[in-house]
Amino acid sequence: MKNNKLIAALAITATLLASCSTNDTDTTETTNQATTTQTEVNGTTQKITSATVLSAPVAEAKIYKLLPGYDSSDVFEGSGVQYLNGYFYVACDNTQKIAKIKSTLPINSSSNSLLSTGAPGSGSSNYEGITYEANGTPHFYVVEETVKNGSVYQPRISKLDDSMTYQSRDWADYSFSSANSNKGFEGLAWVSRDGNNYLLGLVEGTGKIAVLLKGTSSWNLVTEITLPSSVTFTDYSDLAISASGKVAITSQEDGQLWVGQLSSTSWSITGGTAYTFPLGSSSGVIGAGTLQLYGNVEGVSFITDTQIVICSDKAGSDQPSYQSYKEQTVSVFNLP
């Protein structure tokens, strides 16, 4: 959820490297660009300078193309993604259903489906993040960004079983004064430590990460993680943590990704490395220009420590038309 800026141009200072292929070839060429030097255009800049521009995705497809029986008129506002056992589980904030998509991204395939959660309510879910708890009885968790709870607004976390059926929901002990103050939790990640299961919630407006431990009737705040000072995104759209403690943070506004390391002994994050999602032309061709094509990245998950999957939201009417090429899309990237 955001208001997009005009796009910054980047002066590319390194050579093009080897190319890789994509699964959905609407507008995509391949490229691999090294570190960049930031320039300013029309008063806007990307927030992390000297970021490495990622190569074109190794696989990519519009969500509607992956699901049998849907077409371009169907809306899938991708807001969170979790990789698990060869599938991507994509939460969309405009539906209660979760998309289960084979990681090879087969088009219009019976391997892909929409799973009904049976959660209370209908219409938009307002789900902004999804994660998976592997300890004990496996569960998924999805989070609503903020919901009014008495005089305050709090994130609300629903527990789903491993077949994506709704079990229960609880408030997170993290309050906002209004529905828009700091914009609520945009990302959710699960961490097991010292025999306890924690959920980490990423605050969209500040980049703070709330560390939560399940209590009797709510997810209680244990502490809060502040990102390294080098991470200065305009907004913070999702959070993922790998089995080895790698941390990925994305930004819609800036079209970027930051990867650091979660300490195994304290609630702190160090590092890391900044990446810019591939740039391209006004016709959506990667490598043929310096425009920010990926302006709606809302979800990220690790496949391995060197490969990620992202999902993207629907582009807003205030965004440049070329950002529609990468909206409502699932994309797989290799990290250098």
Side-chain angles (χ1 to χ4, degrees):
M1 301 175 65
K2 67 185 182 69
N3 293 316
N4 283 275
K5 297 181 176 182
L6 294 174
I7 308 305
L10 295 173
I12 299 172
T13 61
T15 58
L16 298 177
L17 302 176
S19 65
C20 56
S21 65
T22 62
N23 200 37
D24 189 356
T25 57
D26 282 349
T27 57
T28 306
E29 288 183 354
T30 57
T31 184
N32 185 356
Q33 300 167 355
T35 54
T36 61
T37 301
Q38 184 63 50
T39 60
E40 184 169 328
V41 174
N42 295 326
T44 64
T45 61
Q46 287 180 302
K47 281 293 185 175
I48 299 181
T49 61
S50 298
T52 297
V53 180
L54 291 173
S55 299
V58 297
E60 181 172 79
K62 295 280 190 180
I63 297 173
Y64 81 83
K65 289 188 175 184
L66 294 163
L67 296 168
Y70 293 89
D71 59 34
S72 58
S73 66
D74 294 298
V75 177
F76 295 97
E77 299 179 3
S79 55
V81 60
Q82 174 67 47
Y83 170 75
L84 178 66
N85 297 333
Y87 284 88
F88 302 136
Y89 293 84
V90 181
C92 300
D93 60 20
N94 66 310
T95 178
Q96 300 281 347
K97 297 180 179 180
I98 305 293
K100 181 182 180 181
I101 297 170
K102 197 168 181 63
S103 61
T104 53
L105 301 187
I107 299 298
N108 193 33
S109 171
S110 60
S111 297
N112 306 325
S113 59
L114 275 179
L115 304 177
S116 296
T117 64
S122 60
S124 297
S125 65
N126 298 315
Y127 294 154
E128 292 294 341
I130 183 170
T131 191
Y132 179 75
E133 175 190 325
N135 279 353
T137 303
H139 288 97
F140 288 91
Y141 293 98
V142 290
V143 62
E144 297 167 76
E145 184 176 19
T146 53
V147 181
K148 190 174 175 105
N149 184 18
S151 62
V152 298
Y153 289 80
Q154 293 180 313
R156 188 164 60 182
I157 298 170
S158 294
K159 181 168 73 171
L160 314 173
D161 67 17
D162 59 357
S163 63
M164 209 58 73
T165 302
Y166 172 82
Q167 302 294 297
S168 61
R169 64 187 183 190
D170 296 285
W171 297 104
D173 180 23
Y174 200 97
S175 298
F176 303 92
S177 59
S178 71
N180 294 319
S181 66
N182 292 327
K183 301 184 179 180
F185 281 8
E186 279 287 299
L188 195 69
W190 167 80
V191 172
S192 178
R193 180 170 292 186
D194 300 326
N196 293 313
N197 294 313
Y198 296 89
L199 290 179
L200 275 59
L202 176 71
V203 180
E204 180 181 6
T206 65
K208 299 280 190 181
I209 299 173
V211 179
L212 306 167
L213 181 63
K214 184 66 171 65
T216 303
S217 58
S218 66
W219 285 92
N220 299 327
L221 182 65
V222 174
T223 189
E224 193 173 54
I225 299 172
T226 299
L227 294 175
S229 59
S230 60
V231 191
T232 54
F233 286 148
T234 305
D235 72 332
Y236 301 82
S237 64
D238 201 19
L239 162 74
I241 300 176
S242 75
S244 68
K246 293 272 188 189
V247 178
I249 306 284
T250 53
S251 170
Q252 287 194 83
E253 292 274 2
D254 306 314
Q256 290 186 314
L257 163 77
W258 181 86
V259 177
Q261 182 69 40
L262 178 66
S263 169
S264 62
T265 58
S266 67
W267 293 111
S268 61
I269 297 173
T270 57
T273 304
Y275 303 96
T276 294
F277 289 107
L279 309 174
S281 69
S282 60
S283 58
V285 179
I286 287 176
T290 57
L291 298 174
Q292 181 187 326
L293 301 179
Y294 291 83
N296 298 89
V297 178
E298 276 245 0
V300 63
S301 183
F302 283 100
I303 301 171
T304 69
D305 276 0
T306 58
Q307 191 174 68
I308 61 165
V309 58
I310 64 168
C311 68
S312 58
D313 198 355
K314 180 177 172 59
S317 59
D318 60 337
Q319 291 181 241
S321 60
Y322 50 80
Q323 291 189 343
S324 65
Y325 291 110
K326 304 302 181 184
E327 68 165 3
Q328 302 179 79
T329 295
V330 174
S331 312
V332 176
F333 291 96
N334 289 331
L335 300 179

